Amino acid sequence: MHERIVAFVKALRAAGVRVSLAESLDSFNALEQLGITDRQLFHDALLATLVKDATNQAQFEELFPLFFGHGDAPMISEANGLSGLDSEELQQLRQEIAQLRERIRELMQRLMDGQNLTPEELAGLARSSGINHIQSLNQRRWVERRMEQQMGLTEFKQSLEDLLKQLEADGMDAAALAEIMQQMQGNAQAMRDQISQFVGSGLAERMSDDYNPQYGDDLQHRPFGSLSDADIQRMRQEVRRLAALLRSRASLRQKRDKAGQIDIKRTMRNNMRYDGVPMKLEHRKKQQKPKLVIICDISTSMRPVAEFMLRMIYELQDQVSKTHSFAFIANLHDITDQLNDSRADISVNDVLESIPPGYYNTDLGRSLDTFLHSYLDTVDWRTTVIIVGDGRNNFNNPRLESLQTIRRHAKRLIWFTPEDTYQWGTGDSDMQLYAPLCDRVHLVTNLAELTSAVDRLLAN
């Protein structure tokens, strides 16, 4: 139990709750006096000793059941839950389920037979849903929805209604239909609960394992997915400081390149007529400010990356010739005018508030197609197109031909993604298809990596 409490304390710290060594010792002393057999007393002792700020109680309440249990684990009812159906009705139900599409057929069969998800199945679903990329409970629901989608649970309600209508049309009586509906709905909810508990416990364990006090307040190297609300607020100030640093670097480059660097090859070639004396210096053309088109995925999983990218580019507008900005979840939105109206903190917040987040409705392919047909005139031979996204497309058409056309019109195409290569192609990820069409792909899991990628962008 001591090891479990230590892991719980580390997870609290990773979630942004400040717990000192003395407070940790207080919790052990309290439990020595009170014991651990009374669950409510155990909960109250940890809460009283580890949380000193009422604003942190929500993080405590969210993490506590993930480390110390939820009570009874959710279980799917066995097939005998349909004991009210006779053999003919059961056979009729199985025949109708057999006519469904593959993924829904498998789900309905499991729910009817009462098959629980095994730990191995849960782990596989979680991996393909990108759980290895997530390090914060803030994005827990995003992983859960992707796992539910893979199992077919997002289509379950409509599929169950269609199944019951077909069974009714085949002559099944109302009592049998009600029993089938109750069994299926109960087991579907139990499966959702299984997924939720697995994801929550897995993320909490990772927060504990990955917490490194060595970083302390070094927000630049903290993964975007692990940031608390307080961290994100502090990070916004850090973005302004880093943008000022990048602006100074870019200004120095432009000052150095004002007349252009000496072109050694041209100088030697053109001065052969003089036998080297006198020497006429030839210069390279000076560097021009880049033109940018930014296309940002602002779905739930991508919001921190997209927000900091937009803030940084906004702060660096004087180092860019022209920027056109777009955001998408299910549809593409031109946000250029919104970002040009006022200060960065106001403009970016307005953009994020005007496009509510979504867990499972991302359609990158459709957004690329919309850009191609409505906004391609923003791209020319001087334009660098930057896509900020994880390449996850919700199993929609990736529209690779649209991206190829955009690339042909641009100077270069660069992709910023928070997912490493081992996650490409898992679940609904199309990143392995998009990456070969790009000039460069930058991994940006934290602010330090994002700053480095933007600095490189301004230098070329």
Side-chain angles (χ1 to χ4, degrees):
M1 178 58 72
H2 281 193
E3 292 180 358
R4 197 65 177 164
I5 295 173
V6 170
F8 177 56
V9 169
K10 290 170 69 177
L12 284 172
R13 289 171 175 165
V17 181
R18 301 184 66 179
V19 182
S20 68
L21 178 60
E23 289 162 344
S24 299
L25 293 175
D26 286 343
S27 68
F28 284 110
N29 292 332
L31 293 176
E32 284 183 5
Q33 300 298 320
L34 300 173
I36 60 174
T37 54
D38 187 319
R39 178 179 173 81
Q40 187 60 49
L41 195 59
F42 175 72
H43 167 279
D44 293 346
L46 290 181
L47 177 63
T49 53
L50 298 178
V51 178
K52 54 184 174 293
D53 188 337
T55 60
N56 295 140
Q57 186 170 349
Q59 289 97 315
F60 177 94
E61 298 295 351
E62 186 174 18
L63 287 167
F64 180 84
L66 301 179
F67 279 90
F68 305 109
H70 303 70
D72 294 334
M75 296 293 289
I76 293 177
S77 300
E78 298 292 338
N80 58 16
L82 293 173
S83 57
L85 275 66
D86 58 35
S87 58
E88 183 178 343
E89 288 172 328
L90 280 173
Q91 181 62 26
Q92 186 179 2
L93 174 59
R94 292 185 185 279
Q95 288 175 349
E96 290 299 338
I97 289 177
Q99 304 301 315
L100 299 174
R101 289 183 294 109
E102 181 178 2
R103 183 168 58 171
I104 296 300
R105 180 175 69 247
E106 293 176 357
L107 172 67
M108 291 296 191
Q109 189 68 51
R110 294 187 73 123
L111 298 180
M112 187 185 76
D113 294 340
Q115 296 180 21
N116 287 285
L117 289 170
T118 66
E120 293 76 19
E121 287 175 320
L122 286 165
L125 288 169
R127 280 195 304 271
S128 61
S129 297
I131 195 173
N132 293 330
H133 168 59
I134 305 300
Q135 294 175 297
S136 168
L137 288 174
N138 293 336
Q139 294 176 298
R140 172 183 177 180
R141 187 60 186 139
W142 176 77
V143 178
E144 292 172 8
R145 288 296 300 187
R146 290 191 177 279
M147 292 175 67
E148 291 171 9
Q149 185 180 49
Q150 290 188 70
M151 286 301 301
L153 285 168
T154 53
E155 306 171 50
F156 167 74
K157 182 179 179 181
Q158 184 61 52
S159 298
L160 179 60
E161 290 177 1
D162 294 342
L163 175 64
L164 293 175
K165 286 179 182 178
Q166 185 59 49
L167 290 170
E168 184 179 19
D170 293 343
M172 186 173 287
D173 63 56
L177 292 173
E179 188 170 350
I180 292 172
M181 182 174 68
Q182 182 178 6
Q183 167 88 352
M184 293 291 197
Q185 287 180 338
N187 282 349
Q189 185 57 51
M191 185 175 287
R192 291 190 182 95
D193 292 342
Q194 281 186 324
I195 290 172
S196 179
Q197 288 194 14
F198 182 87
V199 172
S201 298
L203 289 176
E205 294 284 355
R206 181 177 293 108
M207 289 169 63
S208 174
D209 292 341
D210 293 348
Y211 176 70
N212 188 350
Q214 177 182 356
Y215 285 145
D217 288 335
D218 183 12
L219 290 179
Q220 288 192 46
H221 293 89
R222 290 271 297 280
F224 287 125
S226 69
L227 299 175
S228 65
D229 291 341
D231 291 334
I232 289 176
Q233 186 60 39
R234 291 165 55 204
M235 187 84 89
R236 288 165 181 154
Q237 301 299 319
E238 186 73 0
V239 167
R240 187 170 299 153
R241 185 186 70 80
L242 291 171
L245 178 61
L246 292 181
R247 186 184 299 109
S248 298
R249 290 181 184 174
S251 297
L252 286 173
R253 291 191 196 104
Q254 291 178 7
K255 183 177 180 180
R256 180 193 64 198
D257 295 338
K258 190 172 184 180
Q261 292 180 322
I262 295 176
D263 190 327
I264 301 298
K265 291 182 179 179
R266 286 183 58 200
T267 297
M268 298 297 293
R269 183 172 59 249
N270 291 343
N271 282 277
M272 290 178 66
R273 73 185 78 169
Y274 306 120
D275 292 329
V277 180
M279 179 73 73
K280 179 181 178 183
L281 299 179
E282 297 287 350
H283 294 80
R284 295 174 183 164
K285 292 182 179 179
K286 65 181 181 180
Q287 179 180 338
Q288 294 179 317
K289 292 181 178 180
K291 292 177 63 178
L292 303 179
V293 165
I294 302 176
I295 304 174
C296 285
D297 179 352
I298 58 171
S299 58
T300 303
S301 60
M302 284 299 304
R303 288 227 154 190
V305 186
E307 176 185 348
F308 295 129
M309 177 66 182
L310 290 173
R311 285 177 176 274
M312 189 165 287
I313 293 298
Y314 185 101
E315 298 284 355
L316 294 167
Q317 284 298 310
D318 57 339
Q319 302 302 318
V320 178
S321 174
K322 178 66 177 177
T323 301
H324 290 277
S325 303
F326 301 87
F328 72 90
I329 300 179
N331 300 295
L332 188 72
H333 303 264
D334 185 350
I335 59 173
T336 305
D337 291 339
Q338 284 179 270
L339 292 179
N340 289 335
D341 283 346
S342 54
R343 299 197 321 269
D345 53 347
I346 298 175
S347 298
V348 175
N349 285 340
D350 286 347
V351 168
L352 297 178
E353 289 176 4
S354 66
I355 309 175
Y359 287 103
Y360 55 96
N361 57 340
T362 306
D363 196 338
L364 172 55
R366 176 182 179 184
S367 299
L368 290 174
D369 196 54
T370 300
F371 180 86
L372 175 63
H373 291 96
S374 301
Y375 302 106
L376 190 59
D377 58 349
T378 62
V379 179
D380 60 27
W381 63 273
R382 286 181 52 201
T383 305
T384 295
V385 177
I386 304 170
I387 299 180
V388 183
D390 53 16
R392 293 192 175 271
N393 202 29
N394 217 37
F395 300 103
N396 294 307
N397 186 340
R399 306 290 179 91
L400 300 179
E401 68 285 352
S402 296
L403 187 63
Q404 289 173 320
T405 303
I406 295 168
R407 172 63 191 91
R408 285 198 298 271
H409 283 74
K411 177 181 179 181
R412 55 186 171 173
L413 174 63
I414 298 175
W415 200 298
F416 289 6
T417 177
E419 291 197 350
D420 211 336
T421 51
Y422 71 88
Q423 294 176 273
W424 298 0
T426 61
D428 63 345
S429 171
D430 289 322
M431 196 62 217
Q432 81 284 7
L433 303 176
Y434 290 124
L437 306 180
C438 302
D439 294 287
R440 283 203 305 271
V441 176
H442 289 291
L443 178 66
V444 288
T445 61
N446 55 45
L447 187 57
E449 292 175 347
L450 178 61
T451 303
S452 176
V454 172
D455 187 37
R456 185 175 177 184
L457 172 69
L458 296 176
N460 297 324

